[in-house]
């Protein structure tokens, strides 16, 4: 067998000069205590690592059993360990102990203290939401292989030290557009799992629009039967709707991950699907043609007809009855087919109906024009850095959730080459999604009026879960850090994001490998 000259040359090299291996497969660098997204408030590395072994137990009081179960189900698949949950760990047993109790008012309901010692990891919080947040951090302190779905035979170490952590903003949301394309309950649950890892605590579901109606309403059955029929998505793809049982199951699934569901029925515009199902909701009583295109601004409820307000009242009553969360979103955007006077009339009559059913009204910032919106939350989706109408409403008590379309809309393309998504608000690469401050974005809205952030994902161009994941990750992680962290450092975030890539790979998440990031392997 001829030995190629090149091979001989390599052999001739002095032994000290090992040939530069083109793709040296190096073990991933050990996880550091600060390598967490969102960035924790305080990180104090030090002391010996904790090693998770087959003898490790999880200790938790009955009151924290749900969180202990979430932790166990997160760690058992990749380790193959039993990780029994016990009330008290036997002496000398390596233990991950969860407990609630007063840990300091500044930690609030979602903060936590995490202490990592040689033979004990202690997680303490004022309540279970804080313990759950701490569990998400702990998952990121184990090697990336911890997210594998089958056992990996390796060392499972957690870096020693202490973390003290709590959120900057109370509202850290994501949104799925169920109307343009219906995402199944299982897809919504997968998204809930994925966003809960970044301490997101609200999921806004856009449940009705011109193309489709996606939630069962008993008093108006044709809404879902007609508006949720097959073929009612954009381009005739993605019909379907959530039954009340499915919606309630999603509310529970979300609550188990300390996420609150926010349902949205967009009104008075974006109502073509409702009017196809019930022509009496139009002013002339004639059913409009069903629409599967992506135009907006052409539909309006009939502001002068009383049936409109019976419709809204019935829908809000049934939605409120199955929504334990505090908010019901009534849309309000792009009402170009509603006259300004009619818009104000509509909001004046409808905003109080939300309060009638014990909920706080929430709408796109367009509702700020209505004086009745003073007790509501306005979701800012504009491109500007000031908004006088919204600022005036804020002075009357309106609070704001920031979703600027040019910074936080996950349906916008990353760049011109992105195969799916829209681009009307501009391209949003990862750094664009990260490099802004929700507290100071609007020069005429003070930070104290800002409840938090939300990353909407509109579904005109989505067809499957892989599309959701491609557009949502990694930018959702950036928005989640803006909502949670008190620090803001692109170089740090960029580095932590690169280290997070292998975790998405282990989870099978179809994330976008932005060229702005050095992705670890
Ligand atoms: N604007 C519309 C959405 C959706 C979006 C897509 C809002 C509040 C463009 N309204 O965003 O229905 O079509 O990026």
């Amino acid at each position: 067998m001829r030995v190629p000259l090149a091979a001989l040359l390599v052999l001739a090299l002095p032994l000290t000069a090992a040939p530069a291996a083109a793709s040296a497969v190096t073990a991933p660098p050990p996880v550091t205590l600060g390598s967490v997204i969102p960035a924790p408030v305080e990180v104090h590395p030090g002391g010996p690592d904790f090693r998770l072994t087959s003898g490790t137990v999880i200790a938790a009081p009955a009151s924290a059993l749900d969180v202990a179960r979430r932790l166990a189900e997160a760690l058992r698949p990749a380790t193959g360990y039993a990780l029994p949950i016990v009330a008290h760990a036997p002496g000398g047993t390596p233990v991950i102990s969860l407990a609630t109790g007063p840990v300091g008012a500044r930690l609030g309901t979602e903060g936590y203290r995490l202490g990592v010692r040689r033979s004990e990891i202690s997680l303490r919080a004022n309540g279970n939401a804080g313990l759950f947040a701490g569990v998400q951090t702990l998952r990121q302190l184990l090697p990336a292989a911890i997210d594998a779905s089958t056992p990996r035979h390796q060392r499972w170490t957690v870096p020693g030290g202490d973390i003290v952590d709590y959120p900057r903003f109370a509202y850290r949301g994501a949104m799925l557009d169920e109307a343009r394309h219906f995402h199944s309950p299982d897809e919504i649950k997968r998204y809930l799992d994925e966003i809960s890892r970044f301490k997101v605590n609200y999921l806004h579901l856009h449940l009705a629009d011109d193309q489709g109606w996606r939630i069962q309403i008993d008093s108006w059955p044709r809404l879902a039967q007609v508006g949720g029929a097959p073929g009612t998505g954009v381009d005739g793809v993605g019909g379907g709707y959530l039954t009340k049982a499915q919606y309630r199951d999603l509310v529970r699934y979300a609550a188990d991950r300390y996420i609150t569901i926010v349902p949205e029925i967009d009104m008075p515009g974006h109502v073509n699907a409702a009017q196809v199902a019930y022509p009496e909701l139009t002013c002339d009583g004639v059913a409009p043609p069903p629409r599967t295109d992506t135009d907006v601004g052409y539909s309006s409820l009939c502001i002068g007809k009383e049936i409109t307000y019976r419709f809204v009242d019935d829908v809000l009553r049934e939605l409120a009855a199955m929504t334990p969360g505090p908010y019901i979103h009534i849309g309000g955007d792009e009402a170009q087919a509603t006259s300004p006077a009619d818009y104000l009339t509509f909001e004046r009559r409808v905003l109080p109906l939300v309060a009638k059913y014990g909920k706080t009204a929430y709408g796109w910032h367009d509702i700020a024009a209505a004086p009745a919106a003073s007790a509501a939350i306005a979701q800012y989706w504009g491109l500007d850095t000031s908004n006088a109408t919204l600022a005036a409403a804020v002075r009357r008590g309106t609070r704001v959730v920031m979703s600027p379309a040019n910074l936080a809309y996950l349906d916008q393309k990353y760049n011109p080459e992105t195969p799916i998504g829209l681009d009307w608000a501009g391209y949003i690469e990862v750094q664009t999604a990260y490099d802004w401050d929700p507290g100071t974005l609007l020069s005429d809205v003070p930070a104290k009026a800002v409840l938090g952030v939300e990353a909407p994902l509109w579904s005109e161009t989505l067809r499957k879960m892989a599309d959701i994941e491609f557009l949502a990750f990694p930018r959702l992680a950036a928005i989640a850090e803006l909502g949670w962290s008190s620090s803001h450092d692109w170089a740090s975030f960029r580095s932590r994001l690169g280290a997070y890539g292998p975790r998405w790979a282990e989870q099978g998440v179809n994330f976008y490998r932005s060229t702005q990031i050095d992705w670890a392997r």
Side-chain angles (χ1 to χ4, degrees):
M1 175 192 75
R2 275 178 39 73
V3 179
L5 178 60
L8 285 175
L9 286 176
V10 165
L11 288 177
L13 281 176
L15 289 182
T16 51
S23 62
V25 179
T26 54
V31 179
T32 60
L33 196 63
S35 185
V36 177
I37 299 175
V41 175
E42 293 178 26
V43 175
H44 308 290
D49 294 350
F50 173 88
R51 187 170 169 206
L52 191 66
T53 66
S54 58
T56 302
V57 302
I58 297 173
S63 64
L65 217 40
D66 285 350
V67 181
R69 287 193 188 110
R70 292 274 93 77
L71 173 61
E73 72 190 22
L75 304 185
R76 283 174 181 154
T79 59
Y81 298 157
L83 297 172
I85 299 172
V86 298
H88 300 287
T93 313
V95 58
I96 303 176
S97 81
L98 281 60
T100 53
V103 291
R106 73 181 171 123
L107 271 58
T109 58
E110 297 179 279
Y112 61 89
R113 292 176 185 280
L114 180 67
V116 181
R117 306 288 177 266
R118 181 188 309 282
S119 57
E120 175 176 9
I121 292 179
S122 74
L123 189 46
R124 295 291 179 274
N126 287 320
N128 285 348
L131 290 181
F132 183 78
V135 163
Q136 303 320 308
T137 292
L138 178 53
R139 297 172 82 174
Q140 294 188 35
L141 296 176
L142 282 154
I146 195 64
D147 283 330
S149 50
T150 54
R152 298 288 177 79
H153 303 292
Q154 66 171 69
R155 288 170 65 88
W156 302 103
T157 54
V158 178
D162 291 280
I163 288 180
V164 180
D165 202 8
Y166 50 87
R168 175 185 179 193
F169 290 110
Y171 189 103
R172 306 175 307 278
M175 187 204 87
L176 279 180
D177 172 7
E178 287 290 298
R180 278 51 178 273
H181 186 87
F182 179 67
H183 308 302
S184 70
D186 283 347
E187 289 174 324
I188 297 172
K189 286 180 177 178
R190 181 173 167 90
Y191 198 57
L192 282 163
D193 283 332
E194 293 167 350
I195 64 178
S196 68
R197 290 176 173 249
F198 299 105
K199 306 185 176 76
V200 168
N201 63 350
Y202 284 93
L203 178 62
H204 169 181
L205 294 176
H206 185 76
L207 293 168
D209 212 299
D210 290 320
Q211 296 82 359
W213 184 283
R214 307 292 182 213
I215 181 69
Q216 175 189 350
I217 298 292
D218 296 328
S219 50
W220 297 70
R222 291 171 51 81
L223 290 172
Q225 289 162 359
V226 175
T232 54
V234 167
D235 301 330
V237 176
Y241 65 90
L242 296 174
T243 63
K244 286 195 166 185
Q246 289 171 324
Y247 180 83
R248 286 194 187 94
D249 180 49
L250 286 169
V251 166
R252 180 199 52 74
Y253 192 90
D256 285 350
R257 288 145 186 86
Y258 297 88
I259 296 175
T260 299
I261 294 290
V262 178
E264 177 192 351
I265 301 295
D266 204 343
M267 302 176 281
H270 289 274
V271 294
N272 193 71
Q275 293 175 319
V276 167
Y278 290 99
E280 55 269 48
L281 290 174
T282 66
C283 284
D284 61 9
V286 175
R291 297 285 292 263
T292 58
D293 61 294
T294 58
D295 286 353
V296 295
Y298 56 82
S299 62
S300 173
L301 289 173
C302 187
I303 306 306
K305 285 171 81 171
E306 277 311 304
I307 189 173
T308 296
Y309 304 96
R310 265 205 323 280
F311 162 75
V312 174
D313 192 295
D314 288 342
V315 168
L316 291 179
R317 182 185 67 254
E318 292 194 37
L319 261 187
M322 56 181 158
T323 301
Y327 306 128
I328 289 189
H329 199 300
I330 54 169
D333 63 305
E334 297 177 322
Q336 281 92 316
T338 312
S339 74
D342 277 354
Y343 185 86
L344 294 179
T345 299
F346 180 80
E347 293 303 340
R348 188 172 63 249
R349 290 196 62 177
V350 161
L351 283 160
L353 293 180
V354 179
K356 170 181 172 186
Y357 294 112
K359 303 299 179 184
T360 296
Y362 189 173
W364 300 104
H365 73 260
D366 316 55
I367 66 167
S374 54
I377 294 174
Q379 182 167 7
Y380 181 70
W381 63 288
L383 310 180
D384 305 317
T385 54
S386 69
N387 184 302
T389 305
L390 179 55
V394 164
R395 287 193 291 275
R396 291 196 309 271
T398 298
R399 288 158 300 154
V400 181
V401 167
M402 289 293 179
S403 299
N406 56 337
L407 302 168
Y409 267 31
L410 303 180
D411 58 298
Q412 300 303 300
K413 291 173 182 287
Y414 291 96
N415 54 53
E417 287 70 46
T418 306
I420 55 176
L422 303 172
D423 60 11
W424 67 270
Y427 298 120
I428 303 179
E429 253 292 359
V430 181
Q431 185 167 10
T432 308
Y434 185 79
D435 259 353
W436 61 285
D437 181 346
T440 60
L441 178 79
L442 291 175
S443 59
D444 47 7
V445 169
K448 66 179 175 8
V450 177
L451 263 185
V453 291
E454 183 179 294
L457 176 55
W458 298 100
S459 60
E460 284 92 340
T461 64
L462 306 188
R463 292 291 176 269
K464 52 190 186 300
M465 191 70 209
D467 296 340
I468 291 176
E469 294 176 346
F470 186 75
L471 290 176
F473 304 107
R475 293 175 298 185
L476 188 277
I479 304 296
E481 174 142 327
L482 296 181
W484 178 279
S485 303
S486 306
S487 58
H488 186 270
D489 179 336
W490 165 248
S492 164
F493 177 75
R494 180 176 177 276
S495 163
R496 285 177 282 120
L497 190 60
Y500 195 90
R503 296 179 190 276
W504 276 321
E506 291 287 3
Q507 296 163 35
V509 169
N510 178 44
F511 70 104
Y512 166 65
R513 288 163 173 77
S514 168
T515 53
Q516 293 183 337
I517 309 298
D518 293 331
W519 296 105
R521 285 177 306 109

